[in-house]
Amino acid sequence: MRLALEALAAVSRDCRRTAGNRLRSPIAALRGARNAHLQTRTLRFLRSVRLALEALAAVSRDCRRTAGNRQRGPIAALRGARNAHVQTRALRFLRSGRLALEALAMKAIIETMSDFWALTKPKVVALIVFTAVIGMFLATPGLPGWRALILGTLGIWLAASAAAAINQILDARIDAQMTRTMYRPLPRQRLTEKQALAFALILAALSMLILAVWVNVLTAVLTFASLIGYAVIYTLYLKRATPQNIVIGGAAGAAPPVLGWTAVTGTLDPYALLLFLIIFIWTPPHFWALAIFRRADYEKVAIPMLPITHGVTVTRWHILAYTVILVIVTLLPYLTGMSSFFYLGGALVLGAGFLYYAIRLMNPPDELFALKTFHYSILYLAALFSFLLIDHYLPQPRFGPVPMVLVPVGP
């Protein structure tokens, strides 16, 4: 297009130079252009346009000739054109245009799929599903059955994705005003709310169908309760009602390991509730660290996060207090006999790291330290559950008094 415009400018200049003389044609003017490269490329462009027009004229003639008979399509008409050179170049032109349109259509499909994928908050859901899968392996001494492992994981993933999509639908207005969320599909209007809602409902329906039919009803019921708890109760009410929103709403986010456990056993177990407790206590310091870093965004949209309602200093003390409680709670798997020394060592090291961040956050070196604390909390939870899994399959050492063996000394 740039070359065509430059060519037209060259034509205009040459036409002005010949004013008063016999006006040259555009092609003749181009042949007189000083830039040989521009001349060659532009002539080639104009000839391709001329050939395309000749091809269309050939199509029109052939279509008129076949009037009253079975009408041929454009490509068939071109194949019947008498000028072989026109036929070859025009077919190549039309095919390149068709390929370009197909490429654009494929690009549009990929972008739309990417937008639907972004609706599911894939990074957040990945951690949720990871803890659910760990719960499945911890629920049995051996390996969980394939049906519970594969279909249970699929059902929990679909439900978590549906909850994330509904959360974005309900938060679309405030997401458009927040720096962290303004590039999501709904604020950018890349998807409509009707499309997003239909997508979320399909995911939720598939999740309930898979869990209820092929896993067990208890897991389906608990998963549905978690979906409603996060997508509706937390997003629609708690988030806008109280600075303790993340504490109360954290119950829904702490459910995945319980869901994984019930998918394998079909029953609730105290150890499953212990995993729930770990994530429940982990959630407030994890999210409050982010809320400190993004407090301007939450203040802009009037969301009563703790740093907004009570100040940053109070929030830092809350993070420290919850981190201390978390370190204590993470010792319970060892104290109750669920895990052994390997897990205990990992939990103590990870807990020491979290305590460092919580204490350092009381007087941070810069504003980014709150975000670093948030990122460490994600690594902390993933590593803690990894220690639980590895410890579960390690040979367990025996503890207790060594049996006494009497050996005769002599006569």
Side-chain angles (χ1 to χ4, degrees), residues 143-161:
L143 295 174
W146 70 268
R147 178 175 293 181
L149 181 61
I150 296 176
L151 296 180
T153 301
L154 178 60
I156 293 168
W157 173 73
L158 289 171
S161 299

Side-chain angles (χ1 to χ4, degrees), residues 5-85:
L5 292 175
E6 290 176 357
L8 291 176
V11 170
S12 177
R13 285 195 302 271
D14 278 4
C15 286
R16 284 198 299 271
R17 290 191 192 110
T18 58
N21 302 325
R22 184 176 178 272
L23 187 64
R24 289 186 291 172
S25 67
I27 299 297
L30 278 170
R31 289 195 178 110
R34 295 179 181 177
N35 189 328
H37 178 67
L38 172 64
Q39 173 187 350
T40 305
R41 295 291 299 276
T42 309
L43 285 172
R44 195 174 295 165
F45 171 80
L46 292 176
R47 282 170 183 154
S48 66
V49 172
R50 186 189 67 192
L51 286 172
L53 293 175
E54 290 176 356
L56 293 175
V59 170
S60 178
R61 287 194 302 272
D62 278 5
C63 287
R64 284 198 299 270
R65 289 192 191 110
T66 56
N69 302 324
R70 186 175 179 273
Q71 191 172 10
R72 289 184 290 172
I75 300 298
L78 278 171
R79 289 194 178 112
R82 294 178 182 177
N83 189 327
H85 179 65

Side-chain angles (χ1 to χ4, degrees), residues 57-398:
V59 170
S60 178
R61 287 194 302 272
D62 278 5
C63 287
R64 284 198 299 270
R65 289 192 191 110
T66 56
N69 302 324
R70 186 175 179 273
Q71 191 172 10
R72 289 184 290 172
I75 300 298
L78 278 171
R79 289 194 178 112
R82 294 178 182 177
N83 189 327
H85 179 65
V86 172
Q87 174 187 357
T88 304
R89 294 294 299 273
L91 283 172
R92 193 176 298 163
F93 176 83
L94 292 176
R95 282 169 182 157
S96 65
R98 185 188 65 190
L99 289 174
L101 290 175
E102 289 175 354
L104 288 174
M106 182 58 66
K107 182 180 179 183
I109 291 171
I110 292 172
E111 288 179 351
T112 302
M113 291 175 64
S114 176
D115 291 331
F116 279 115
W117 177 248
L119 271 183
T120 66
K121 297 184 180 179
K123 292 182 180 179
V124 176
V125 170
L127 185 60
I128 290 172
V129 174
F130 176 74
T131 59
V133 171
I134 299 298
M136 293 178 184
F137 281 95
L138 297 180
T140 176
L143 295 174
W146 70 268
R147 178 175 293 181
L149 181 61
I150 296 176
L151 296 180
T153 301
L154 178 60
I156 293 168
W157 173 73
L158 289 171
S161 299
I166 295 172
N167 170 267
Q168 290 196 50
I169 295 168
L170 296 176
D171 279 350
R173 181 186 60 82
I174 65 174
D175 282 351
Q177 303 175 56
M178 296 176 66
T179 305
R180 182 172 67 94
T181 56
M182 64 190 303
Y183 294 105
R184 287 176 175 174
L186 290 176
R188 293 178 66 192
Q189 297 182 348
R190 294 178 62 87
L191 295 173
T192 66
E193 291 188 1
K194 288 183 179 179
Q195 290 173 324
L197 181 59
F199 176 67
L201 293 177
I202 290 171
L203 293 182
L206 286 174
S207 168
M208 294 302 105
L209 177 66
I210 291 170
L211 293 176
V213 175
W214 289 293
V215 182
N216 57 65
V217 176
L218 177 61
T219 304
V221 171
L222 292 176
T223 302
F224 182 75
S226 300
L227 190 158
I228 297 300
Y230 174 75
V232 180
I233 297 175
Y234 167 74
T235 303
L236 201 59
Y237 175 70
L238 289 174
K239 188 174 183 178
R240 295 161 172 80
T242 171
Q244 294 297 312
N245 45 22
I246 200 63
V247 178
I248 306 169
V258 179
L259 304 179
W261 196 292
T262 59
V264 173
T265 65
T267 59
L268 280 172
D269 188 272
Y271 285 149
L273 298 178
L274 183 53
L275 300 177
F276 170 91
L277 181 62
I278 290 173
I279 299 181
F280 181 76
I281 300 298
W282 166 85
T283 302
H286 158 73
F287 199 83
W288 281 333
L290 178 64
I292 288 175
F293 182 72
R294 294 292 187 183
R295 59 188 180 276
D297 272 351
Y298 288 112
E299 188 173 13
K300 186 193 306 182
V301 296
I303 297 295
M305 290 296 176
L306 194 62
I308 307 302
T309 60
H310 291 73
V312 174
T313 302
V314 172
T315 307
R316 288 169 178 163
W317 279 106
H318 275 70
I319 291 174
L320 180 58
Y322 269 88
T323 304
V324 172
I325 297 172
L326 177 63
V327 172
I328 296 171
V329 167
T330 54
L331 301 180
L332 293 177
Y334 170 75
L335 296 175
T336 59
M338 180 182 181
S339 301
S340 67
F341 279 113
F342 180 81
Y343 164 77
L344 177 64
L348 288 174
V349 171
L350 292 170
F354 210 155
L355 278 172
Y356 163 78
Y357 276 95
I359 294 170
R360 192 74 177 90
L361 189 61
M362 298 298 296
N363 185 24
D366 52 47
E367 280 292 319
L368 283 174
F369 195 79
L371 186 62
K372 292 176 182 177
T373 304
F374 169 76
H375 288 151
Y376 176 79
S377 67
I378 298 173
L379 175 65
Y380 169 88
L381 187 67
L384 186 75
F385 271 73
S386 298
F387 275 112
L388 279 168
L389 178 64
I390 296 170
D391 183 272
H392 182 67
Y393 289 102
L394 286 178
Q396 301 299 316
R398 286 189 172 184

